[in-house]
Amino acid sequence: MRLMMSWCSCLVVVFLLQASHGTSGSAYNITASEPLFPNQTLVSSGQIFELGFFTPNGSENQYVGIWYKNLAPPKIVWVANRELPLVYPDQSAKLMIGSDGNLKLVNGKQNIFWSTNASRRSNYRSAALLDSGNFVLQDANYSKIWGSFDDPTDTLLPGMKMGVNARTGEKLYLISWRSDSDPSPGRFSTGITSETPPQPFTWNGSTPYWRGG
Ligand SMILES: *[C@@H]1O[C@H](CO)[C@@H](O)[C@H](O)[C@H]1NC(C)=O
Ligand SMILES: *[C@@H]1O[C@H](CO)[C@@H](O)[C@H](O)[C@H]1NC(C)=O
Ligand SMILES: *[C@@H]1O[C@H](CO)[C@@H](O)[C@H](O)[C@H]1NC(C)=O
Ligand SMILES: *[C@@H]1O[C@H](CO)[C@@H](O)[C@H](O)[C@H]1NC(C)=O
Ligand SMILES: *[C@@H]1O[C@H](CO)[C@@H](O)[C@H](O)[C@H]1NC(C)=O
Ligand SMILES: *[C@@H]1O[C@H](CO)[C@@H](O)[C@H](O)[C@H]1NC(C)=O
């Protein structure tokens, strides 16, 4: 794992979080009747990871992300709406479970800034942040319908699999932030090549930049 972590350290961005307004409550799950608001965070049961609204230093945009709860300065490991930010401070935004059973990030006008795209299989759903850092949407039996590990940002956490998403067949890449204040997809991407044996590979745009051994 050490090797993996240093291999992707070029993609890892460390910055300070601006404290969001009166972060007051913490919750352990999101349900259809209990969305997550900007004044709350979701914490994993062992208090290892935290999910909530954040604004990078130097940015006027608001994102939903996951960070290590007890690491200073905070290190964001996953961003939901990296392509479509909310404008800070949007206190009317919420992360909710919609009537179609998917997680949705909406603003006060119900415009969607990010959503999961899982098919409907059960009526009751909840979402929780696991101690592994995986943010999961689950059914009434706690079986996983979607997980943030299936949709990585720029950080490989232990337990996350690179390569191909087993459910969708989609290739998984880590993609760098554009800059320290902008989590939108940047130039650098890391993935595993499909040759045998598979090799970790980093590209700068379309140019190979680094190949692992
Ligand atoms: C959500 O969290 C509350 C409070 O900890 C707990 O009582 C409830 O059982 C949890 N629900 C699910 C679906 O995990
Ligand atoms: C958090 O924000 C929501 C939505 O604006 C509001 O209903 C709730 O009362 C707030 N909770 C606290 C503890 O401030
Ligand atoms: C982040 O903001 C704090 C104060 O708001 C400032 O002291 C610090 O230099 C900033 N850091 C970066 C990386 O911009
Ligand atoms: C959602 O999934 C369906 C079926 O897999 C696909 O056709 C559609 O393009 C997806 N939509 C988004 C927004 O990813
Ligand atoms: C939960 O598990 C029970 C027993 O295995 C099954 O009958 C039920 O359909 C499952 N519910 C969902 C929502 O998957
Ligand atoms: C990545 O590519 C761009 C455009 O070719 C170049 O300007 C930049 O220096 C490269 N970065 C690194 C770290 O090689």
Side-chain angles (χ1 to χ4, degrees):
M1 209 55 235
R2 229 190 141 72
L3 173 77
M4 298 288 247
M5 296 307 277
S6 64
W7 147 53
C8 67
S9 63
C10 62
L11 299 169
V12 164
V13 184
V14 175
F15 62 99
L16 295 174
L17 284 177
Q18 285 172 2
S20 54
H21 276 277
T23 298
S24 38
S26 57
Y28 291 100
N29 50 55
I30 296 173
T31 62
S33 58
E34 288 170 305
L36 188 79
F37 294 108
N39 59 8
Q40 299 171 300
T41 59
L42 198 66
V43 293
S44 68
S45 61
Q47 309 279 316
I48 296 170
F49 286 97
E50 188 165 22
L51 176 149
F53 290 78
F54 73 96
T55 294
N57 236 1
S59 167
E60 309 213 314
N61 292 327
Q62 192 177 36
Y63 301 89
V64 165
I66 298 173
W67 55 89
Y68 282 97
K69 185 163 166 52
N70 297 310
L71 199 67
K75 160 81 186 74
I76 300 286
V77 297
W78 183 78
V79 182
N81 57 321
R82 72 186 302 193
E83 317 222 11
L84 200 53
L86 292 149
V87 178
Y88 176 82
D90 190 338
Q91 295 301 316
S92 62
K94 59 184 175 184
L95 180 62
M96 59 184 277
I97 294 181
S99 55
D100 68 349
N102 276 297
L103 278 163
K104 286 184 170 55
L105 174 63
V106 299
N107 65 4
K109 294 177 182 148
Q110 304 301 310
N111 298 320
I112 298 173
F113 287 73
W114 173 84
S115 73
T116 56
N117 188 21
S119 61
R120 191 186 180 89
R121 276 195 274 127
S122 62
N123 293 321
Y124 182 82
R125 289 186 175 181
S126 64
L129 181 60
L130 307 183
D131 279 333
S132 60
N134 201 2
F135 176 45
V136 296
L137 177 63
Q138 54 203 3
D139 69 15
N141 289 342
Y142 298 100
S143 74
K144 187 187 79 166
I145 293 160
W146 172 89
S148 59
F149 279 14
D150 303 333
D151 186 14
T153 300
D154 71 333
T155 307
L156 192 68
L157 292 173
M160 210 184 241
K161 290 197 180 67
M162 290 297 294
V164 174
N165 179 328
R167 188 170 63 83
T168 61
E170 207 184 334
K171 261 201 154 174
L172 297 181
Y173 294 102
L174 302 177
I175 301 177
S176 64
W177 286 32
R178 187 162 294 272
S179 72
D180 287 2
S181 59
D182 181 0
S184 70
R187 296 194 57 84
F188 288 89
S189 59
T190 292
I192 308 274
T193 60
S194 41
E195 65 205 32
T196 316
Q199 291 189 309
F201 215 90
T202 294
W203 293 266
N204 175 1
S206 55
T207 310
Y209 177 70
W210 187 85
R211 174 189 280 273

